[in-house]
Amino acid sequence: MKNQQKLKNRRSILLVIILLFTTFIISKTFKRVNFKDIRIVGSYSFTKKVIFNNSFLNLPTRLIFVNTKYAERKLKKNLSLLRVSVTRQIFPFGLKIMIKTRTPVAYAEKISNGEKIAGFIDEYGIFIDEKYSDKESLKNLSMKVFGWKENFSNTLSKILNSQKNNDIEFNTIKFSPNGFLLLEEKSLKTILLGHNMQIIDTQLQMINDIKNQLKENFLLEKIDIIDLTNPKNPKIKVFKP
């Protein structure tokens, strides 16, 4: 009988503890979260206020009602972030925002509402506004991209990555207002690629092949313009002094 009573008492105590803990958790989730309750972690180069303003969080509000997915989408888009996670927390109370910034690999310019905006792009061809860039990563940049548009990102990424495993070094990547693509390569000079982004893989492979062939024949210094707008009929203009 005594053992049964002890077991019953333990169960009662456990139920009370569970009830108190549940009540505590519920009270915390309905507590209002404020700006001071935001904690930022990860790699970033802007202030807590900038992060908050670009998250479009409407504070103070009850923790349970914070739309974390919406805040993540806004932060990723507005600050050109590589990764972002917004999490509700009880211990410690508040919001934890984990951030990973993009690493610039080239200077860039884009036109928005008729205004030229300076910035950078990362290896995925994503534009990073100058005021939100990681200043520590800008020391050795020499490549420039002009005329950036969002729908050029995939093409840009392919161009940038083509340099990793090939003996190619682009100085300039330029998109005209109508989308005509022109490259400047360290040895090959001007390379015309045209409007058709669907054949960029073929064109990049041809650039590498042409450079290797010209190098073998000691003709690199004589090249002026390479026209690959039609890969089936490539044209090479040789400089004539």
Side-chain angles (χ1 to χ4, degrees), residues 109-111 125 147-153 156 175-179:
E109 288 182 0
K110 69 174 182 177
I111 303 298
W148 181 93
K149 290 182 181 179
E150 189 172 357
N151 60 318
F152 296 154
S153 294
L156 271 171
F175 294 93
S176 69
N178 66 359

Side-chain angles (χ1 to χ4, degrees), residues 10 18 22 29 34 41 44 68 83 92 104 106 163 167 176 184 188 194 201 210 214 231-232:
R10 287 176 182 173
I18 293 174
T22 304
T29 58
N34 292 281
V41 295
Y44 58 96
T68 57
R83 288 190 294 274
Q163 302 177 111
D167 183 22
S176 69
E184 292 284 346
L188 297 176
D201 293 313
I210 289 171
L214 293 174
K232 295 181 179 179

Side-chain angles (χ1 to χ4, degrees), residues 5 15 18 21 28 39 44 58 84 99 108 117 123 132 152 154 158 165 186-188 199 201 206 216 229-230 240:
Q5 185 62 39
L15 287 173
I18 293 174
F21 183 75
K28 281 289 186 179
R39 185 163 62 97
Y44 58 96
N58 186 20
V84 59
I99 282 176
I117 298 176
E123 63 177 317
Y132 299 140
F152 296 154
N154 186 54
K158 290 182 177 181
N165 301 314
K186 184 177 180 181
S187 301
L188 297 176
I199 58 174
D201 293 313
M206 290 184 69
E216 290 176 2
T229 52
N230 180 4
K240 296 179 180 180

Side-chain angles (χ1 to χ4, degrees), residues 129-140:
D129 196 297
E130 188 174 28
K131 60 185 175 182
Y132 299 140
S133 60
D134 182 1
K135 303 299 187 294
E136 293 299 317
S137 305
L138 307 179
K139 298 175 182 177
N140 300 315

Side-chain angles (χ1 to χ4, degrees), residues 6-129:
K6 286 182 179 180
L7 182 61
K8 186 176 181 181
N9 290 338
R10 287 176 182 173
R11 287 176 178 174
S12 298
I13 292 171
L14 181 60
L15 287 173
V16 171
I17 292 173
I18 293 174
L19 179 61
L20 290 173
F21 183 75
T22 304
T23 302
F24 173 77
I25 293 297
I26 292 174
S27 68
K28 281 289 186 179
T29 58
F30 279 90
K31 181 181 177 181
R32 291 185 182 276
V33 60
N34 292 281
F35 178 78
K36 65 179 179 62
D37 301 313
I38 296 176
R39 185 163 62 97
I40 314 295
V41 295
S43 64
Y44 58 96
S45 57
F46 16 76
T47 65
K48 179 178 174 180
K49 185 176 181 180
V50 167
I51 295 173
F52 171 71
N53 289 341
N54 283 278
S55 69
F56 286 82
L57 287 168
N58 186 20
L59 302 182
T61 191
R62 301 189 190 281
L63 183 64
I64 195 172
F65 296 135
V66 174
N67 191 335
T68 57
K69 295 301 180 185
Y70 177 78
E72 288 172 355
R73 289 196 300 271
K74 287 297 182 181
L75 281 170
K76 191 168 186 179
K77 180 179 179 180
N78 294 340
L79 300 181
S80 298
L81 298 174
L82 183 62
R83 288 190 294 274
V84 59
S85 172
V86 180
T87 309
R88 304 185 194 93
Q89 286 191 322
I90 302 298
F91 306 106
F93 175 80
L95 294 170
K96 182 173 76 170
I97 302 179
M98 296 185 66
I99 282 176
K100 174 66 174 175
T101 55
R102 297 181 182 275
T103 301
V105 297
Y107 293 97
E109 288 182 0
K110 69 174 182 177
I111 303 298
S112 180
N113 298 321
E115 180 183 357
K116 184 185 294 183
I117 298 176
F120 308 89
I121 59 166
D122 72 347
E123 63 177 317
Y124 303 103
I126 302 300
F127 190 86
I128 308 165
D129 196 297

Side-chain angles (χ1 to χ4, degrees), residues 146-149 151-152 155 159 173-183 190-197 203 225-230:
F146 298 99
W148 181 93
K149 290 182 181 179
N151 60 318
F152 296 154
T155 298
I159 294 171
I173 302 171
K174 184 182 292 186
F175 294 93
S176 69
N178 66 359
F180 188 95
L181 176 57
L182 177 151
L183 305 179
T190 301
I191 306 172
L192 307 179
L193 298 186
H195 298 90
N196 189 356
M197 305 299 172
Q203 291 171 319
I225 295 177
I226 298 176
D227 185 347
L228 297 179
T229 52
N230 180 4

